[in-house]
Amino acid sequence: MPNFNEQDQSIKEFEVEKAYLQFIFPFTLKEECSDSLSQLLQQQGYDFFTLDNSHLQDKYYGDHHTVSHYRMERIFLPNIEPIIFPSVSTKKEGFRRFSKAFNQEFFLKGKYLQTIFQLLSIDIIICPFQIGMMNIRVELPDNMSYSEVIEFTDLFRVMEPLVEEDSDIQIGTKNQSYKMIKSFIFESLCPFMKNFLDEKNTNSSYFGSLPFYIDERLYVVGSIVLQEESKLEVQDLYRLGSISGFDNKGHPFIGAKNPAYMERFYDDHVYDRWADETYYVVTDYMFACITKSQGELAHMLANQMFGQYYYSFLLFYYYRIILMKLTYDQRRIHKGQNEVEVDTLIVQITEFSAKIYNPEINSRLAGK
């Protein structure tokens, strides 16, 4: 929430018919624990995700949403598919995804927002090089305001509040609530994960976080459906990309005043091939599809954000994390680490370059 006044600006409000949000949390795993975590996840009711298991196509995405495994199999290039869709849970070179449907109702209360939400499912993905990612899928109530959806996004993505404005929340059920998203995740949803997260990194900004990736906020992948008569402008898309919900007085805010600045943001971060009906916004905080399409088209766009675009995002997000990890490890070596770690780093760089990294993962224009 900003500490400056923007009330001279005109802010339109929209009614959001449907909103689905996915919150991604990257973390470091302890050494040599991936196999034991894989076994425990399956004991905890998590399914190992494979494309040949068609029973999983509609299990994790809420009512009436399906991710076609057949289509996903044909979207990604042949050299990428074995990495993001390994066929067995023991293949350490791939993204081993374990998913569990929850379909439970919780509440989130902030200073200027109180709402229920449906927690649809959780993915826990074990990646190469001791990296893991958790994805929490959420469905918001129908017909919330645009500002409320953005405010919910902003509140939920704060794992551990570092400033006073982020500390005034409650989340959970009427029987058990928490004051931090971190506590809600690691005490209520996935308490077993605490034993597998690497806590030895003193430079981490919060529990389980990556020492080379200092940010206490989760990344958001969103699908937002507006009413058909809605008319989006540049400042509305800027609000979404910068996740600007309510200010410190509870008023909707934009987060910028200069129209030229917002126009530059639009040019750099908004994919408007299907404007003025559908837009994709990609920033350092959020990847979102916002549309006023209705019926089957809106349904298809949401399915894409659960399926092919979700996986495209995961792969490039992982690239970013690994490149920062390798840079971080290289700097540690320059500070006097031993030769064994140098050899390990050389092997990791070679494996990443040869087996995993590929700047082109999709042959289709929209995927690129």
Side-chain angles (χ1 to χ4, degrees):
M1 297 181 189
N3 294 315
F4 52 83
N5 188 356
E6 293 186 356
Q7 296 312 304
D8 58 327
Q9 291 182 282
S10 175
I11 300 178
K12 291 189 303 181
E13 199 59 276
F14 303 98
E15 190 170 287
V16 176
E17 293 189 355
K18 283 286 184 183
Y20 299 94
L21 303 172
Q22 303 180 78
F23 296 89
I24 291 91
F25 162 54
F27 54 86
T28 48
L29 285 165
K30 292 178 180 177
E31 292 185 18
E32 306 301 329
C33 78
S34 62
D35 288 337
S36 55
L37 175 57
S38 169
Q39 295 171 10
L40 180 61
L41 286 169
Q42 293 174 82
Q43 294 171 9
Q44 292 286 331
Y46 286 76
D47 302 309
F48 175 62
F49 185 90
T50 58
L51 288 182
D52 57 3
N53 189 347
S54 59
H55 298 292
L56 305 180
Q57 291 186 140
D58 57 0
K59 188 172 182 179
Y60 309 115
Y61 316 107
D63 293 339
H64 314 303
H65 283 284
T66 301
V67 171
S68 171
H69 291 191
Y70 175 81
R71 289 181 182 175
M72 281 212 292
E73 193 173 15
R74 281 151 180 76
I75 284 170
F76 296 97
L77 295 177
N79 56 322
I80 294 297
E81 187 181 318
I83 298 172
I84 57 178
F85 302 120
S87 56
V88 293
S89 62
T90 55
K91 185 178 180 182
K92 296 184 178 181
E93 294 81 15
F95 285 21
R96 291 178 284 172
R97 169 182 164 184
F98 298 86
S99 300
K100 181 177 180 179
F102 281 76
N103 296 316
Q104 295 180 17
E105 185 176 282
F106 297 95
F107 78 88
L108 175 67
K109 180 181 179 182
K111 191 173 182 180
Y112 299 112
L113 173 70
Q114 182 170 352
T115 184
I116 59 171
F117 65 92
Q118 194 80 2
L119 195 150
L120 300 177
S121 59
I122 292 179
D123 296 340
I124 295 176
I125 305 170
I126 304 173
C127 307
F129 306 116
Q130 290 179 247
I131 298 297
M133 288 189 277
M134 179 185 294
N135 177 32
I136 302 172
R137 291 189 186 86
V138 166
E139 178 182 355
L140 298 186
D142 297 350
N143 305 318
M144 291 179 72
S145 74
Y146 189 56
S147 295
E148 288 173 336
V149 170
I150 298 175
E151 182 70 5
F152 180 96
T153 304
D154 196 25
L155 293 174
F156 197 98
R157 72 191 188 105
V158 180
M159 282 285 281
E160 185 172 345
L162 300 182
V163 293
E164 185 177 350
E165 294 88 42
D166 294 331
S167 61
D168 190 17
I169 73 157
Q170 281 186 298
I171 186 170
T173 65
K174 63 180 180 180
N175 297 323
Q176 181 66 60
S177 64
Y178 302 87
K179 293 187 176 181
M180 289 190 294
I181 301 297
K182 176 191 74 172
S183 302
F184 175 60
I185 294 173
F186 293 113
E187 294 178 26
S188 175
L189 301 180
C190 306
F192 58 88
M193 283 298 297
K194 291 189 289 187
N195 296 326
F196 295 92
L197 270 60
D198 189 355
E199 300 178 72
K200 69 184 180 182
N201 295 304
T202 57
N203 292 329
S204 297
S205 57
Y206 57 91
F207 173 76
S209 69
L210 308 171
F212 48 85
Y213 194 76
I214 307 300
D215 189 358
E216 79 285 1
R217 300 175 191 270
L218 308 183
Y219 197 93
V220 187
V221 176
S223 175
I224 297 172
V225 181
L226 303 176
Q227 292 181 329
E228 192 170 9
E229 64 273 14
S230 303
K231 184 173 176 58
L232 287 167
E233 297 181 1
V234 170
Q235 69 178 30
D236 304 312
L237 296 166
Y238 179 85
R239 289 187 69 196
L240 182 62
S242 59
I243 313 184
S244 302
F246 297 133
D247 65 13
N248 56 3
K249 294 184 179 179
H251 302 299
F253 83 104
I254 299 173
K257 284 192 172 186
N258 184 357
Y261 177 84
M262 289 186 277
E263 289 282 356
R264 292 195 298 271
F265 172 91
Y266 181 97
D267 293 339
D268 291 340
H269 298 284
V270 177
Y271 183 60
D272 58 0
R273 180 181 177 184
W274 294 280
D276 65 342
E277 188 174 271
T278 300
Y279 301 86
Y280 290 89
V281 182
V282 186
T283 70
D284 288 339
Y285 319 111
M286 170 177 270
F287 169 35
C289 171
I290 181 167
T291 184
K292 56 182 182 179
S293 303
Q294 303 294 307
E296 291 186 10
L297 180 54
H299 193 77
M300 182 202 72
L301 293 172
N303 290 344
Q304 286 181 332
M305 296 303 289
F306 285 133
Q308 67 193 68
Y309 292 160
Y310 168 61
Y311 269 98
S312 297
F313 160 78
L314 280 183
L315 192 57
F316 281 104
Y317 195 50
Y318 178 73
Y319 287 169
R320 177 179 179 179
I321 290 169
I322 286 299
L323 290 170
M324 286 191 290
K325 178 183 186 299
L326 295 174
T327 301
Y328 175 80
D329 290 344
Q330 184 182 32
R331 289 174 180 172
R332 290 176 60 227
I333 287 173
H334 286 318
K335 293 181 180 179
Q337 301 297 322
N338 59 42
E339 188 175 336
V340 176
E341 291 202 17
V342 175
D343 293 340
T344 301
L345 179 61
I346 292 172
V347 170
Q348 288 182 343
I349 292 173
T350 303
E351 287 185 354
F352 174 68
S353 303
K355 296 182 180 180
I356 298 177
Y357 180 71
N358 191 321
E360 184 170 345
I361 64 172
N362 190 319
S363 58
R364 302 186 181 189
L365 179 61
K368 292 180 181 180

